[in-house]
Amino acid sequence: MSRTTKPLVADDVEIVRRVLAHVDGGTTDEGTAWREPVENYLNPHRFTQELQLLRAMPSVFVPSATIPNKGDHVERVTFGVPLFAVRGPDQRARVFRNACRHRGFALVEDAGCSHALVCRYHGWTYRLDGSLSHVPHAHAFPDLDMSTRGLIEVPSYEADGLIVIGAIDSGGACVPQPDADAATAWLTNGTAWRDQLLPIDRVLSVETNRLAINWKVIVEQFLEGYHIRWTHRETLPDLYDNLTVVETFGPNSRVTFPYPAIEELRDRPESTWPGRVPATYVYQLFPNVILGAFPQLVQVIVVDPVDVAHSEVIYYTMTRADIANKIPLDAEELPDPAEVARYITGVVAEDNEMSSGVQRGFRAGANKFVEFGRHESAIGHFHANLGDRLAQFAATQPQAPR
C-alpha cells in the first residue's frame, strides 16, 4: 500500500453526523456477525501458530513519546523476545535485541537515558547506534572483531508517533512479500490517527499487568460498546448504550464511542466541530495494539501474548505538555489528565474482570463458539484478518519431513 493523503477514516464532521443520526434513529453501526471457535482460545498448538505469525510480521513496539531525546531508551519483551529501543544522536530511533554480545546479559533493564549503553555484568560498552566501542581487557579476546560484534538490530520504522518493528523471528520464518510490505504500510501510514498522536509529547505513566486471559479476549474488550450499560453501569452511567461508529482500514479498525455532550453540537456550526468531538476514538492496530484517544490524553495499550491463557498488557498513558501543565485551551479549562487517567484505569479494570470471566467460562464446555453480533463487527474483522494471515503463513512454511 502506498502512502496516501486520502482519509482512511471519516473526519470529525462526518463522525458527528453519523452519531447524531444514530441518536435520532435509536441505531448503531452494524456489520457482519462472526462466530469464533472456543478451541481457538484454548488450543496450545493454535497459540504456537499465532506466536510464530506475530514474530514474523510487523507490529507496533512503543510510542515515540517514550524516547523523545538523544540517549533515551526503553525495553519490552515482544512476543517472548526481549528488545529495546534507543534514540541516537542523529535523532533516529533504533530497536535492538536486548542482549550483550559477550554473555547475553540484558543490556537495558529499565527505561532511562544514557550517553552509551554499558553492560553492568562485564562493562562491554556500545554506542547509541549499537556499535561496540569498548571491551575491558580486550587482549583476552584475541579473535574478537569489534566491528562485527555490535548489537543485533531489528528492522524498525518511526512514523506518526509510533515505532514499528519488522519481523523478529530468528528461525527463518517470515511473512512473504508483498504481504510484509503491506502489513508495514498499514502501521506506518498514520493518516487515521496522526492528528490524535502527533501532538502527544508527555508520558504520564507506564503500567504493566500480567493477566490470566488469552490475548485475543483482551483485544476484543476494546472493540464494542454492547457491554457498556452492564459492565460500566456505575463508572459510565451516562454513556450511550450500544452506540458506536465502526470503521475498518486494512486489517485495522477504529471504533468511536461518543459522549452525550455530542448532542450539544447540533446548535453549533459544523465549522466548529473539528477537534472538539466529545468522544473516545479507539484504534485497533493489527495485530495486538490498541490506541485510545480521549479528549485529554492518549493511551497506547500493547497486548503481548505469554501463553495460551496468559498475557502481559502494557499501558502507555500520554498527553500534551500544555494539558499536563493545566494551561487552558481556547479559554476552556480541561480536567486534570492524571485524574482522567485514574478514572480510565478503573474502567479498564472492569473490562479485565469481564475478560477474566470469559476465560474461565471457556473451560465450562458450554459453547463450541463465541457469538459476536453485527454490532460487534470490529471483533469479527480482527478475527477474520488473523485467520486469513495464519492460513497464508502456514501455506508458505516448509513442511516437516515425515
Side-chain angles (χ1 to χ4, degrees):
M1 185 191 77
S2 60
R3 197 171 182 86
T4 177
T5 58
K6 180 181 178 181
L8 298 178
V9 293
D11 62 18
D12 286 349
V13 171
E14 179 59 24
I15 287 294
V16 174
R17 289 173 179 165
R18 290 172 64 172
V19 169
L20 294 180
H22 283 317
V23 171
D24 293 341
T27 56
T28 188
D29 273 13
E30 293 186 343
T32 303
W34 183 268
R35 289 179 170 179
E36 183 69 10
V38 169
E39 180 70 5
N40 287 351
Y41 301 92
L42 297 176
N43 190 311
H45 177 66
R46 161 77 181 222
F47 175 82
T48 298
Q49 292 177 320
E50 291 173 352
L51 195 60
Q52 289 173 342
L53 172 68
L54 297 177
R55 288 174 175 170
M57 65 181 296
S59 62
V60 173
F61 184 56
V62 291
S64 297
T66 59
I67 53 168
N69 304 309
K70 168 189 169 182
D72 286 348
H73 50 75
V74 61
E75 56 84 26
R76 180 169 81 77
V77 176
T78 305
F79 310 134
V81 180
L83 305 175
F84 74 90
V86 60
R87 193 168 299 280
D90 55 1
Q91 288 303 307
R92 178 185 161 195
R94 295 175 175 83
V95 178
F96 298 97
R97 295 180 183 271
N98 194 5
C100 177
R101 299 303 306 285
H102 172 217
R103 298 271 291 276
F105 188 83
L107 193 62
V108 173
E109 299 176 86
D110 206 346
C113 185
S114 307
H115 295 295
L117 302 167
V118 182
C119 179
R120 66 184 184 89
Y121 193 4
H122 295 96
W124 282 39
T125 302
Y126 304 84
R127 301 178 183 90
L128 299 180
D129 65 1
S131 59
L132 180 61
S133 64
H134 175 67
V135 173
H137 306 289
H139 65 275
F141 303 89
D143 298 325
L144 176 65
D145 180 355
M146 293 179 59
S147 67
T148 66
R149 297 295 283 176
L151 299 174
I152 303 301
E153 187 169 359
V154 173
S156 63
Y157 318 82
E158 184 173 19
D160 298 318
L162 297 173
I163 298 171
V164 174
I165 57 172
I168 57 175
D169 182 82
S170 59
C174 63
V175 173
Q177 303 289 353
D179 294 343
D181 287 344
T184 299
W186 284 119
L187 294 177
T188 55
N189 177 1
T191 303
W193 64 83
R194 184 180 301 143
D195 292 344
Q196 308 288 350
L197 198 52
L198 277 188
I200 296 300
D201 56 5
R202 179 73 59 86
V203 176
L204 293 176
S205 65
V206 180
E207 298 182 10
T208 302
N209 290 332
R210 190 182 180 96
L211 304 175
I213 307 169
N214 181 275
W215 73 281
K216 299 186 295 294
V217 177
I218 299 174
V219 170
E220 293 166 358
Q221 73 186 25
F222 294 98
L223 299 182
E224 47 88 4
Y226 185 43
H227 71 287
I228 288 174
R229 171 165 291 181
W230 301 97
T231 301
H232 306 303
R233 65 180 66 192
E234 294 183 3
T235 49
L236 299 173
D238 299 324
L239 210 60
Y240 293 111
D241 175 36
N242 197 32
L243 195 169
T244 55
V245 175
V246 178
E247 303 163 275
T248 60
F249 50 106
N252 308 320
S253 63
R254 183 177 79 167
V255 182
T256 302
F257 297 83
Y259 313 153
I262 201 168
E263 296 186 53
E264 299 173 8
L265 298 180
R266 294 182 191 271
D267 301 324
R268 300 181 186 178
E270 288 190 357
S271 60
T272 66
W273 293 357
R276 304 177 66 85
V277 178
T280 296
Y281 291 113
V282 173
Y283 302 79
Q284 195 256 318
L285 304 182
F286 190 83
N288 67 317
V289 168
I290 301 294
L291 192 162
F294 305 85
Q296 295 86 10
L297 53 85
V298 168
Q299 273 195 333
V300 172
I301 302 170
V302 179
V303 183
D304 211 326
V306 175
D307 58 38
V308 71
H310 295 85
S311 306
E312 188 166 271
V313 186
I314 308 175
Y315 304 86
Y316 299 92
T317 303
M318 304 171 293
T319 189
R320 301 199 318 257
D322 54 358
I323 296 178
N325 295 331
K326 299 183 180 180
I327 297 175
L329 298 176
D330 300 328
E332 186 176 311
E333 186 70 48
L334 291 175
D336 182 350
E339 288 293 331
V340 175
R342 282 190 285 272
Y343 185 75
I344 293 171
T345 297
V347 173
V348 172
E350 292 174 338
D351 288 325
N352 289 339
E353 180 185 0
M354 297 300 111
S355 293
S356 180
V358 168
Q359 187 73 32
R360 291 195 302 273
F362 287 152
R363 297 290 183 182
N367 301 308
K368 295 297 183 182
F369 54 81
V370 182
E371 188 89 63
F372 296 107
R374 294 180 60 193
H375 40 236
E376 301 171 289
S377 60
I379 298 176
H381 182 70
F382 162 64
H383 282 293
N385 277 279
L386 180 60
D388 288 347
R389 280 158 176 73
L390 280 169
Q392 295 167 10
F393 182 66
T396 64
Q397 303 312 301
Q399 299 297 312
R402 295 185 178 183

